[in-house]
Coordinates of all heavy atoms in Angstrom, one line a residue:
M1 N 24.3 31.0 -18.4 CA 23.5 29.8 -18.2 C 23.0 29.8 -16.8 O 23.7 30.0 -15.8 CB 24.3 28.5 -18.5 CG 23.5 27.3 -18.2 SD 24.4 25.7 -18.5 CE 24.6 25.7 -20.2
I2 N 21.7 29.4 -16.6 CA 21.1 29.3 -15.3 C 21.6 28.0 -14.7 O 21.6 27.0 -15.3 CB 19.6 29.3 -15.4 CG1 19.1 30.7 -15.9 CG2 18.9 29.0 -14.1 CD1 17.7 30.8 -16.2
K3 N 22.1 28.1 -13.4 CA 22.6 27.0 -12.7 C 21.7 26.6 -11.6 O 21.3 27.4 -10.7 CB 24.0 27.3 -12.2 CG 24.7 26.0 -11.7 CD 26.0 26.3 -10.9 CE 27.1 26.7 -11.8 NZ 28.4 26.9 -11.1
I4 N 21.3 25.3 -11.5 CA 20.4 24.8 -10.6 C 21.0 23.7 -9.7 O 21.7 22.8 -10.2 CB 19.1 24.2 -11.3 CG1 18.4 25.2 -12.1 CG2 18.2 23.6 -10.2 CD1 17.3 24.7 -12.9
L5 N 20.9 23.8 -8.4 CA 21.4 22.8 -7.4 C 20.2 21.9 -7.2 O 19.1 22.3 -6.8 CB 21.8 23.5 -6.1 CG 22.2 22.5 -5.0 CD1 23.4 21.7 -5.3 CD2 22.4 23.3 -3.7
V6 N 20.4 20.6 -7.4 CA 19.5 19.5 -7.1 C 20.0 18.7 -6.0 O 21.1 18.1 -6.1 CB 19.2 18.7 -8.4 CG1 18.2 17.5 -8.0 CG2 18.6 19.5 -9.5
V7 N 19.3 18.6 -4.9 CA 19.7 17.8 -3.8 C 18.6 16.7 -3.6 O 17.5 17.0 -3.1 CB 19.9 18.6 -2.5 CG1 20.4 17.7 -1.4 CG2 20.8 19.8 -2.8
E8 N 19.0 15.5 -4.0 CA 18.0 14.3 -4.0 C 18.8 13.1 -3.7 O 19.8 12.8 -4.4 CB 17.3 14.3 -5.3 CG 16.5 13.0 -5.6 CD 15.4 12.9 -4.6 OE1 14.5 13.7 -4.5 OE2 15.4 11.8 -3.8
D9 N 18.4 12.3 -2.7 CA 19.2 11.1 -2.3 C 18.8 9.9 -3.2 O 19.6 9.0 -3.3 CB 19.1 10.7 -0.9 CG 17.6 10.4 -0.5 OD1 16.7 11.0 -1.0 OD2 17.5 9.6 0.4
D10 N 17.7 9.9 -3.8 CA 17.3 8.8 -4.7 C 17.9 9.1 -6.1 O 17.5 10.0 -6.8 CB 15.7 8.8 -4.8 CG 15.3 7.6 -5.7 OD1 15.8 7.4 -6.8 OD2 14.3 6.9 -5.2
R11 N 18.9 8.2 -6.4 CA 19.7 8.5 -7.6 C 18.8 8.4 -8.9 O 19.1 9.2 -9.8 CB 20.8 7.5 -7.7 CG 21.9 7.8 -6.6 CD 23.1 6.9 -6.7 NE 24.0 7.2 -5.7 CZ 25.0 8.1 -5.7 NH1 25.2 8.8 -6.8 NH2 25.8 8.3 -4.7
T12 N 17.8 7.6 -8.9 CA 17.0 7.5 -10.1 C 16.2 8.8 -10.3 O 16.2 9.3 -11.4 CB 16.0 6.3 -10.0 OG1 16.8 5.1 -9.8 CG2 15.1 6.2 -11.2
I13 N 15.6 9.3 -9.3 CA 14.9 10.6 -9.3 C 15.9 11.7 -9.7 O 15.6 12.6 -10.5 CB 14.2 10.9 -8.0 CG1 13.0 9.8 -7.8 CG2 13.6 12.3 -8.0 CD1 12.4 9.9 -6.5
A14 N 17.0 11.7 -9.0 CA 18.0 12.8 -9.3 C 18.5 12.8 -10.7 O 18.6 13.9 -11.4 CB 19.2 12.6 -8.4
L15 N 18.8 11.6 -11.3 CA 19.2 11.5 -12.7 C 18.1 12.0 -13.6 O 18.4 12.6 -14.6 CB 19.7 10.1 -13.0 CG 21.0 9.7 -12.3 CD1 21.3 8.2 -12.6 CD2 22.1 10.6 -12.8
G16 N 16.8 11.6 -13.3 CA 15.7 12.1 -14.1 C 15.5 13.6 -14.1 O 15.3 14.2 -15.2
M17 N 15.7 14.1 -12.9 CA 15.6 15.6 -12.8 C 16.7 16.3 -13.6 O 16.5 17.3 -14.3 CB 15.6 16.0 -11.4 CG 14.3 15.6 -10.6 SD 14.4 16.0 -8.9 CE 14.2 17.7 -8.8
E18 N 17.9 15.8 -13.4 CA 19.1 16.3 -14.1 C 18.9 16.3 -15.6 O 19.1 17.3 -16.3 CB 20.3 15.6 -13.6 CG 21.6 16.1 -14.3 CD 22.8 15.4 -13.9 OE1 22.8 14.2 -13.6 OE2 23.9 16.0 -14.0
Y19 N 18.5 15.1 -16.1 CA 18.3 15.0 -17.5 C 17.2 16.0 -18.0 O 17.5 16.6 -19.0 CB 17.8 13.5 -17.8 CG 17.5 13.3 -19.3 CD1 18.6 13.1 -20.2 CD2 16.2 13.3 -19.7 CE1 18.3 12.9 -21.5 CE2 16.0 13.1 -21.1 CZ 17.0 12.9 -22.0 OH 16.7 12.8 -23.3
A20 N 16.1 16.1 -17.4 CA 15.1 17.0 -17.8 C 15.5 18.4 -17.8 O 15.2 19.2 -18.7 CB 13.8 16.8 -16.9
L21 N 16.2 18.8 -16.8 CA 16.7 20.2 -16.7 C 17.8 20.5 -17.7 O 17.7 21.6 -18.4 CB 17.3 20.5 -15.3 CG 16.2 20.5 -14.2 CD1 16.9 20.5 -12.8 CD2 15.3 21.7 -14.3
R22 N 18.7 19.6 -18.0 CA 19.7 19.8 -19.0 C 19.1 19.8 -20.4 O 19.5 20.6 -21.2 CB 20.8 18.7 -18.9 CG 21.7 18.9 -17.7 CD 22.8 17.9 -17.6 NE 23.5 18.1 -16.4 CZ 24.8 18.5 -16.4 NH1 25.4 18.8 -17.5 NH2 25.4 18.7 -15.2
Q23 N 18.0 19.0 -20.6 CA 17.3 19.1 -21.9 C 16.7 20.4 -22.2 O 16.6 20.8 -23.3 CB 16.2 18.0 -22.0 CG 16.8 16.6 -22.1 CD 17.5 16.3 -23.4 OE1 18.7 16.6 -23.5 NE2 16.8 15.9 -24.4
E24 N 16.4 21.1 -21.1 CA 15.8 22.5 -21.2 C 16.9 23.6 -21.2 O 16.5 24.8 -21.3 CB 14.8 22.7 -20.1 CG 13.6 21.8 -20.1 CD 12.7 22.1 -21.4 OE1 12.6 23.2 -21.8 OE2 12.2 21.1 -21.9
G25 N 18.1 23.2 -21.2 CA 19.2 24.1 -21.3 C 19.8 24.7 -20.0 O 20.6 25.6 -20.0
Y26 N 19.4 24.1 -18.9 CA 19.9 24.5 -17.6 C 21.1 23.8 -17.2 O 21.3 22.6 -17.5 CB 18.8 24.3 -16.5 CG 17.6 25.1 -16.7 CD1 16.4 24.4 -17.1 CD2 17.5 26.5 -16.6 CE1 15.2 25.1 -17.3 CE2 16.4 27.2 -16.8 CZ 15.2 26.5 -17.2 OH 14.1 27.2 -17.4
G27 N 22.1 24.4 -16.5 CA 23.2 23.8 -15.9 C 22.8 23.2 -14.6 O 22.0 23.9 -13.8
T28 N 23.2 22.0 -14.2 CA 22.8 21.4 -13.0 C 24.0 20.9 -12.2 O 25.0 20.4 -12.8 CB 21.8 20.2 -13.2 OG1 22.4 19.3 -14.0 CG2 20.5 20.7 -13.8
V29 N 23.9 20.9 -10.9 CA 24.8 20.3 -10.0 C 23.9 19.4 -9.1 O 23.0 19.9 -8.5 CB 25.6 21.3 -9.1 CG1 26.4 20.6 -8.1 CG2 26.5 22.2 -10.0
V30 N 24.2 18.1 -9.1 CA 23.4 17.2 -8.3 C 24.2 16.7 -7.1 O 25.4 16.3 -7.3 CB 23.0 15.9 -9.2 CG1 22.2 14.9 -8.4 CG2 22.2 16.4 -10.4
C31 N 23.6 16.7 -6.0 CA 24.2 16.2 -4.7 C 23.2 15.2 -4.2 O 22.0 15.4 -4.2 CB 24.4 17.4 -3.7 SG 25.5 18.7 -4.3
Y32 N 23.8 14.1 -3.6 CA 23.0 13.0 -3.1 C 22.9 13.1 -1.6 O 22.2 12.2 -1.0 CB 23.5 11.7 -3.5 CG 23.6 11.6 -5.1 CD1 24.8 11.7 -5.7 CD2 22.4 11.4 -5.8 CE1 24.8 11.6 -7.1 CE2 22.4 11.3 -7.2 CZ 23.6 11.4 -7.8 OH 23.7 11.3 -9.2
N33 N 23.5 14.0 -0.9 CA 23.4 14.1 0.5 C 23.7 15.6 1.0 O 24.1 16.4 0.2 CB 24.4 13.2 1.2 CG 25.9 13.5 0.8 OD1 26.3 14.6 0.9 ND2 26.6 12.4 0.4
A34 N 23.4 15.8 2.2 CA 23.5 17.2 2.8 C 24.9 17.7 2.8 O 25.1 18.9 2.5 CB 22.8 17.2 4.2
E35 N 25.8 16.8 3.2 CA 27.2 17.3 3.3 C 27.8 17.8 2.0 O 28.3 18.9 2.0 CB 28.1 16.1 3.8 CG 29.5 16.5 3.9 CD 30.4 15.4 4.4 OE1 29.9 14.2 4.6 OE2 31.6 15.6 4.6
T36 N 27.6 17.1 0.9 CA 28.0 17.5 -0.4 C 27.3 18.8 -0.8 O 27.9 19.7 -1.4 CB 27.8 16.4 -1.4 OG1 28.4 15.2 -1.0 CG2 28.4 16.8 -2.8
A37 N 26.0 18.9 -0.5 CA 25.2 20.1 -0.9 C 25.7 21.3 -0.2 O 25.9 22.4 -0.7 CB 23.8 19.8 -0.6
E38 N 26.1 21.1 1.1 CA 26.6 22.3 1.9 C 27.9 22.8 1.3 O 28.1 24.0 1.2 CB 26.8 21.9 3.4 CG 25.5 21.7 4.1 CD 25.7 21.3 5.6 OE1 26.7 21.7 6.2 OE2 24.8 20.5 6.1
E39 N 28.8 21.9 0.9 CA 30.0 22.2 0.3 C 29.8 23.0 -1.0 O 30.4 24.1 -1.2 CB 30.9 21.0 0.0 CG 31.4 20.3 1.2 CD 32.0 18.9 0.9 OE1 32.1 18.6 -0.3 OE2 32.3 18.2 1.8
Q40 N 28.8 22.6 -1.8 CA 28.5 23.3 -3.1 C 27.9 24.7 -2.8 O 28.2 25.6 -3.5 CB 27.5 22.4 -3.9 CG 28.1 21.2 -4.5 CD 29.2 21.5 -5.5 OE1 29.1 22.4 -6.3 NE2 30.3 20.8 -5.4
I41 N 27.1 24.8 -1.8 CA 26.5 26.0 -1.4 C 27.5 27.1 -1.1 O 27.4 28.2 -1.4 CB 25.4 25.9 -0.3 CG1 24.2 25.1 -0.7 CG2 25.0 27.2 0.3 CD1 23.4 24.6 0.4
L42 N 28.6 26.6 -0.4 CA 29.6 27.5 0.0 C 30.6 27.9 -1.1 O 31.2 29.0 -1.1 CB 30.4 26.9 1.2 CG 29.7 26.7 2.5 CD1 30.6 26.0 3.5 CD2 29.3 28.1 3.1
Q43 N 30.7 27.0 -2.1 CA 31.7 27.2 -3.2 C 31.1 27.8 -4.4 O 31.9 28.5 -5.1 CB 32.3 25.8 -3.6 CG 33.1 25.2 -2.5 CD 33.6 23.8 -2.9 OE1 33.4 23.3 -4.0 NE2 34.2 23.1 -2.0
E44 N 29.9 27.6 -4.7 CA 29.3 28.1 -6.0 C 28.1 29.0 -5.7 O 27.4 28.9 -4.7 CB 28.9 26.9 -6.8 CG 30.1 26.1 -7.2 CD 29.8 25.1 -8.3 OE1 29.1 25.5 -9.3 OE2 30.2 23.9 -8.2
S45 N 27.7 29.7 -6.8 CA 26.5 30.4 -6.8 C 25.5 29.7 -7.7 O 25.8 29.2 -8.8 CB 26.7 31.8 -7.4 OG 27.6 32.6 -6.6
F46 N 24.2 29.7 -7.2 CA 23.2 29.0 -8.0 C 22.0 30.0 -8.2 O 21.8 30.9 -7.4 CB 22.7 27.8 -7.2 CG 23.7 26.7 -7.1 CD1 24.5 26.6 -5.9 CD2 23.9 25.8 -8.1 CE1 25.5 25.6 -5.8 CE2 24.9 24.8 -8.0 CZ 25.7 24.7 -6.9
D47 N 21.2 29.7 -9.2 CA 20.1 30.5 -9.5 C 18.8 29.9 -8.9 O 17.8 30.6 -8.8 CB 19.9 30.6 -11.0 CG 21.1 31.3 -11.7 OD1 21.3 32.5 -11.4 OD2 21.8 30.7 -12.4
L48 N 18.8 28.6 -8.6 CA 17.7 27.9 -8.0 C 18.2 26.7 -7.3 O 19.2 26.1 -7.7 CB 16.7 27.5 -9.1 CG 15.6 26.5 -8.8 CD1 14.6 27.2 -7.9 CD2 14.9 26.0 -10.0
A49 N 17.5 26.4 -6.2 CA 17.8 25.1 -5.4 C 16.6 24.3 -5.4 O 15.5 24.8 -5.0 CB 18.4 25.4 -4.0
V50 N 16.7 23.0 -5.7 CA 15.6 22.1 -5.6 C 16.0 21.0 -4.6 O 17.0 20.3 -4.8 CB 15.3 21.4 -7.0 CG1 14.2 20.4 -6.9 CG2 15.0 22.4 -8.0
L51 N 15.3 21.0 -3.5 CA 15.7 20.2 -2.3 C 14.7 19.1 -2.0 O 13.5 19.4 -2.0 CB 15.9 21.1 -1.1 CG 16.8 22.3 -1.2 CD1 16.8 23.1 0.1 CD2 18.2 22.0 -1.7
D52 N 15.2 17.9 -1.6 CA 14.4 16.9 -1.0 C 14.5 17.2 0.5 O 15.5 17.8 1.0 CB 15.0 15.5 -1.3 CG 14.1 14.4 -0.9 OD1 13.0 14.7 -0.4 OD2 14.5 13.2 -1.1
V53 N 13.5 16.8 1.3 CA 13.5 17.0 2.7 C 14.3 15.9 3.4 O 15.2 16.2 4.2 CB 12.1 17.1 3.3 CG1 12.1 17.1 4.8 CG2 11.4 18.3 2.8
A54 N 14.0 14.7 3.1 CA 14.7 13.6 3.8 C 16.0 13.2 3.0 O 15.9 12.7 1.9 CB 13.8 12.4 3.8
L55 N 17.1 13.4 3.7 CA 18.4 13.0 3.2 C 19.1 12.1 4.1 O 18.8 12.1 5.3 CB 19.2 14.3 2.9 CG 18.6 15.3 2.0 CD1 19.4 16.6 2.0 CD2 18.7 14.7 0.6
P56 N 20.0 11.3 3.7 CA 20.6 10.3 4.5 C 21.5 10.9 5.7 O 21.6 10.2 6.7 CB 21.5 9.5 3.6 CG 21.7 10.3 2.4 CD 20.5 11.2 2.3
D57 N 21.9 12.1 5.5 CA 22.8 12.7 6.6 C 22.3 14.0 7.1 O 23.1 14.8 7.6 CB 24.2 12.8 6.1 CG 24.3 13.7 4.8 OD1 23.3 14.0 4.2 OD2 25.5 14.1 4.5
G58 N 21.1 14.3 6.9 CA 20.5 15.6 7.4 C 19.2 15.8 6.7 O 18.5 14.8 6.4
D59 N 18.8 17.1 6.6 CA 17.5 17.3 6.0 C 17.5 18.6 5.2 O 18.4 19.5 5.3 CB 16.3 17.4 7.0 CG 16.4 18.5 8.0 OD1 16.5 19.6 7.6 OD2 16.4 18.2 9.2
G60 N 16.6 18.7 4.2 CA 16.5 19.8 3.4 C 16.1 21.1 4.1 O 16.5 22.2 3.6
Y61 N 15.5 21.0 5.2 CA 15.1 22.2 6.0 C 16.4 23.0 6.4 O 16.5 24.2 6.3 CB 14.3 21.9 7.2 CG 13.0 21.2 6.9 CD1 12.6 20.1 7.6 CD2 12.1 21.8 6.0 CE1 11.4 19.4 7.4 CE2 10.9 21.1 5.8 CZ 10.5 20.0 6.4 OH 9.3 19.4 6.2
E62 N 17.3 22.2 6.9 CA 18.6 22.8 7.3 C 19.4 23.4 6.1 O 20.0 24.5 6.2 CB 19.5 21.8 8.1 CG 20.8 22.4 8.6 CD 20.6 23.4 9.7 OE1 19.5 23.5 10.3 OE2 21.6 24.2 9.9
L63 N 19.3 22.7 5.0 CA 20.0 23.2 3.8 C 19.3 24.5 3.4 O 20.0 25.5 3.0 CB 19.9 22.2 2.7 CG 20.9 21.1 2.8 CD1 20.6 20.1 1.6 CD2 22.3 21.5 2.7
C64 N 18.0 24.6 3.4 CA 17.3 25.8 3.1 C 17.7 27.0 4.0 O 17.9 28.1 3.5 CB 15.8 25.6 3.2 SG 14.8 27.0 2.7
R65 N 17.8 26.7 5.3 CA 18.3 27.7 6.2 C 19.7 28.2 5.8 O 19.9 29.5 5.8 CB 18.3 27.2 7.6 CG 18.6 28.3 8.7 CD 18.7 27.7 10.1 NE 19.8 26.8 10.2 CZ 21.1 27.2 10.2 NH1 21.4 28.5 10.2 NH2 22.1 26.3 10.4
K66 N 20.6 27.3 5.5 CA 21.9 27.7 5.1 C 22.0 28.5 3.8 O 22.7 29.5 3.6 CB 22.8 26.5 5.0 CG 23.1 25.9 6.4 CD 24.0 24.7 6.4 CE 24.2 24.3 7.8 NZ 25.1 23.2 7.9
I67 N 21.1 28.1 2.8 CA 21.0 28.9 1.6 C 20.5 30.3 1.9 O 21.0 31.3 1.4 CB 20.1 28.1 0.6 CG1 20.8 26.9 0.1 CG2 19.7 29.1 -0.6 CD1 19.9 25.9 -0.7
R68 N 19.5 30.4 2.7 CA 18.9 31.7 3.1 C 19.9 32.6 3.8 O 19.9 33.8 3.6 CB 17.7 31.5 3.9 CG 16.5 31.1 3.1 CD 16.0 32.2 2.2 NE 15.0 31.7 1.3 CZ 15.2 31.6 0.0 NH1 16.4 31.9 -0.6 NH2 14.3 31.1 -0.8
E69 N 20.9 32.0 4.5 CA 21.9 32.8 5.1 C 22.8 33.5 4.1 O 23.4 34.5 4.3 CB 22.8 32.0 6.1 CG 22.0 31.5 7.3 CD 22.8 30.6 8.2 OE1 24.0 30.2 7.8 OE2 22.3 30.2 9.3
K70 N 23.0 32.8 3.0 CA 24.0 33.2 1.9 C 23.3 34.0 0.8 O 23.9 35.0 0.3 CB 24.7 32.0 1.3 CG 25.7 32.4 0.3 CD 26.4 31.1 -0.3 CE 27.3 31.6 -1.3 NZ 27.8 30.5 -2.2
S71 N 22.1 33.7 0.5 CA 21.4 34.3 -0.7 C 19.9 34.2 -0.6 O 19.4 33.6 0.3 CB 21.9 33.7 -2.0 OG 21.3 32.4 -2.2
D72 N 19.3 34.9 -1.6 CA 17.8 34.9 -1.7 C 17.4 34.2 -2.9 O 16.3 34.5 -3.5 CB 17.3 36.3 -1.6 CG 17.7 37.2 -2.7 OD1 18.6 36.7 -3.5 OD2 17.2 38.3 -2.8
I73 N 18.1 33.2 -3.4 CA 17.7 32.4 -4.6 C 16.4 31.7 -4.3 O 16.2 31.3 -3.2 CB 18.8 31.5 -5.1 CG1 19.1 30.4 -4.1 CG2 20.1 32.2 -5.5 CD1 19.9 29.2 -4.6
P74 N 15.6 31.4 -5.3 CA 14.4 30.6 -5.1 C 14.8 29.2 -4.6 O 15.8 28.6 -5.1 CB 13.8 30.5 -6.5 CG 14.4 31.7 -7.2 CD 15.7 31.9 -6.7
V75 N 14.0 28.7 -3.7 CA 14.2 27.3 -3.2 C 12.9 26.6 -3.3 O 11.9 27.1 -2.9 CB 14.7 27.3 -1.7 CG1 14.7 25.9 -1.1 CG2 16.0 28.0 -1.5
I76 N 12.9 25.4 -3.9 CA 11.7 24.6 -4.1 C 12.0 23.2 -3.4 O 13.0 22.6 -3.7 CB 11.4 24.4 -5.5 CG1 11.1 25.7 -6.2 CG2 10.2 23.5 -5.7 CD1 10.9 25.7 -7.7
F77 N 11.1 22.8 -2.5 CA 11.2 21.5 -2.0 C 10.4 20.6 -2.9 O 9.3 20.9 -3.3 CB 10.6 21.4 -0.6 CG 11.5 21.9 0.5 CD1 11.2 23.1 1.2 CD2 12.6 21.2 0.9 CE1 12.0 23.6 2.2 CE2 13.5 21.7 1.9 CZ 13.2 22.9 2.5
V78 N 11.0 19.4 -3.3 CA 10.3 18.4 -4.0 C 10.5 17.1 -3.2 O 11.7 16.6 -3.1 CB 10.9 18.2 -5.4 CG1 10.2 17.1 -6.2 CG2 10.8 19.5 -6.2
T79 N 9.5 16.7 -2.5 CA 9.6 15.6 -1.5 C 8.4 14.7 -1.4 O 7.3 15.1 -1.9 CB 9.9 16.3 -0.2 OG1 10.1 15.3 0.8 CG2 8.9 17.2 0.3
A80 N 8.6 13.6 -0.9 CA 7.5 12.7 -0.6 C 6.7 13.0 0.7 O 5.7 12.5 0.9 CB 8.0 11.2 -0.6
M81 N 7.3 13.9 1.5 CA 6.7 14.2 2.8 C 5.6 15.2 2.5 O 5.8 16.4 2.4 CB 7.8 14.8 3.7 CG 8.9 13.8 3.9 SD 10.2 14.4 5.1 CE 9.4 14.0 6.6
D82 N 4.3 14.7 2.5 CA 3.2 15.5 2.1 C 2.3 15.9 3.3 O 1.2 16.5 3.1 CB 2.4 14.8 1.1 CG 1.8 13.5 1.5 OD1 2.1 13.0 2.7 OD2 1.0 12.9 0.8
E83 N 2.7 15.7 4.5 CA 1.9 16.1 5.6 C 1.9 17.6 5.7 O 2.9 18.3 5.4 CB 2.4 15.5 7.0 CG 2.2 14.0 7.1 CD 3.3 13.2 6.4 OE1 4.4 13.9 6.1 OE2 3.2 12.1 6.1
E84 N 0.8 18.2 6.1 CA 0.6 19.6 6.2 C 1.7 20.3 7.0 O 2.2 21.3 6.7 CB -0.8 20.0 6.7 CG -1.0 21.5 6.7 CD -2.4 21.9 7.2 OE1 -3.3 21.0 7.3 OE2 -2.6 23.1 7.4
V85 N 2.1 19.7 8.1 CA 3.1 20.2 9.0 C 4.4 20.3 8.3 O 5.2 21.3 8.5 CB 3.3 19.4 10.3 CG1 3.8 18.0 10.0 CG2 4.2 20.1 11.3
N86 N 4.8 19.4 7.4 CA 6.0 19.5 6.6 C 5.9 20.6 5.6 O 6.9 21.3 5.4 CB 6.3 18.2 5.9 CG 6.5 17.0 6.8 OD1 5.6 16.2 7.0 ND2 7.6 17.0 7.5
V87 N 4.8 20.8 5.0 CA 4.6 21.9 4.0 C 4.8 23.2 4.7 O 5.6 24.1 4.2 CB 3.3 21.8 3.3 CG1 3.1 23.0 2.4 CG2 3.1 20.5 2.5
V88 N 4.1 23.4 5.8 CA 4.2 24.6 6.6 C 5.6 24.9 7.0 O 6.2 26.0 6.9 CB 3.2 24.6 7.8 CG1 3.5 25.8 8.7 CG2 1.8 24.6 7.3
M89 N 6.3 23.9 7.5 CA 7.7 24.0 8.0 C 8.6 24.4 6.9 O 9.4 25.3 7.0 CB 8.2 22.8 8.7 CG 9.5 23.0 9.3 SD 10.2 21.7 10.4 CE 9.0 20.4 10.4
G90 N 8.4 23.8 5.7 CA 9.3 24.1 4.5 C 9.1 25.6 4.1 O 10.1 26.3 3.8
L91 N 7.8 26.0 4.1 CA 7.6 27.4 3.7 C 8.0 28.4 4.7 O 8.6 29.5 4.4 CB 6.1 27.6 3.3 CG 5.6 26.8 2.1 CD1 4.1 26.9 2.0 CD2 6.3 27.2 0.9
D92 N 7.9 28.0 6.0 CA 8.4 28.9 7.1 C 9.9 29.0 7.1 O 10.5 30.0 7.5 CB 7.9 28.3 8.5 CG 6.5 28.7 8.8 OD1 5.9 29.5 8.0 OD2 5.9 28.1 9.7
M93 N 10.6 28.0 6.6 CA 12.1 28.0 6.5 C 12.6 28.9 5.4 O 13.7 29.2 5.3 CB 12.6 26.6 6.3 CG 12.4 25.6 7.5 SD 13.2 26.1 9.0 CE 14.9 25.9 8.5
G94 N 11.7 29.3 4.6 CA 12.0 30.3 3.5 C 11.9 29.7 2.1 O 12.3 30.4 1.2
A95 N 11.3 28.5 2.0 CA 11.2 28.0 0.6 C 10.1 28.8 -0.1 O 9.2 29.3 0.4 CB 10.7 26.5 0.7
D96 N 10.3 28.8 -1.4 CA 9.4 29.5 -2.3 C 8.2 28.6 -2.7 O 7.1 29.1 -3.1 CB 10.1 30.1 -3.5 CG 11.1 31.1 -3.1 OD1 10.7 32.3 -2.9 OD2 12.3 30.7 -3.0
D97 N 8.4 27.3 -2.7 CA 7.4 26.4 -3.1 C 7.7 25.0 -2.5 O 8.8 24.7 -2.1 CB 7.2 26.3 -4.6 CG 5.8 25.8 -5.0 OD1 5.0 25.5 -4.1 OD2 5.5 25.9 -6.2
Y98 N 6.6 24.2 -2.4 CA 6.8 22.9 -1.8 C 5.9 22.0 -2.6 O 4.7 22.1 -2.7 CB 6.2 22.9 -0.3 CG 6.6 21.7 0.5 CD1 7.5 21.7 1.5 CD2 5.9 20.5 0.3 CE1 7.8 20.6 2.2 CE2 6.1 19.4 1.1 CZ 7.1 19.5 2.0 OH 7.4 18.4 2.8
I99 N 6.6 21.1 -3.4 CA 5.9 20.2 -4.3 C 6.1 18.7 -3.8 O 7.2 18.3 -3.4 CB 6.5 20.3 -5.7 CG1 6.4 21.7 -6.2 CG2 5.8 19.3 -6.6 CD1 7.2 22.0 -7.4
T100 N 5.0 18.0 -3.7 CA 5.1 16.6 -3.2 C 5.2 15.7 -4.4 O 4.6 15.9 -5.5 CB 3.9 16.2 -2.4 OG1 2.7 16.4 -3.1 CG2 3.8 17.0 -1.1
K101 N 6.0 14.6 -4.2 CA 6.2 13.6 -5.2 C 5.0 12.7 -5.2 O 4.5 12.4 -4.2 CB 7.5 12.8 -4.9 CG 8.8 13.6 -4.9 CD 9.9 12.6 -4.5 CE 11.2 13.4 -4.2 NZ 12.2 12.6 -3.6
P102 N 4.6 12.2 -6.4 CA 3.5 11.3 -6.5 C 3.9 9.9 -5.9 O 5.0 9.6 -5.7 CB 3.2 11.1 -8.0 CG 4.4 11.7 -8.7 CD 5.1 12.6 -7.7

């Protein structure tokens, strides 16, 4: 089973993403902050990481960097931060895609 790490501090959005992914047959691990996500990154292997940029105790850019130190799994940012500088920074950090929330 494909396992996806979802890091999103908005619980409503996180639960919606988790539900949709599970309905499609994917295994998911949801983290609501950077600290928990970092622990999961060190303990488990994932096939994909979906990261928010703004987290209560850090940011998705740093998480992306840590993921890249360990593996080359695809990383997608899904975030409300839609300024061009944020998109460029996310892609420069090694993300495979950067999607803005409506």
Side-chain angles (χ1 to χ4, degrees):
M1 175 182 291
I2 294 174
K3 191 190 286 185
I4 301 173
L5 174 66
V6 176
V7 185
E8 170 61 63
D9 63 326
D10 183 314
R11 291 184 184 270
T12 303
I13 293 171
L15 291 173
M17 291 174 72
E18 179 182 29
Y19 177 79
L21 291 168
R22 287 183 185 247
Q23 289 293 90
E24 294 297 322
Y26 299 109
T28 60
V29 173
V30 177
C31 299
Y32 300 106
N33 58 50
E35 180 181 2
T36 306
E38 288 179 34
E39 292 170 7
Q40 290 296 317
I41 291 166
L42 294 174
Q43 294 174 8
E44 296 191 46
S45 295
F46 295 96
D47 299 294
L48 171 68
V50 178
L51 311 177
D52 191 1
V53 171
L55 299 168
D57 61 342
D59 64 57
Y61 300 129
E62 183 64 20
L63 283 175
C64 183
R65 187 186 64 75
K66 289 180 180 183
I67 290 169
R68 285 289 171 250
E69 289 175 356
K70 182 181 177 193
S71 73
D72 62 351
I73 66 166
V75 174
I76 300 172
F77 282 110
V78 178
T79 181
M81 301 181 83
D82 62 354
E83 293 82 18
E84 185 176 347
V85 66
N86 297 107
V87 176
V88 170
M89 189 172 355
L91 296 173
D92 282 348
M93 293 296 292
D96 295 279
D97 204 352
Y98 192 105
I99 301 168
T100 56
K101 298 175 190 172

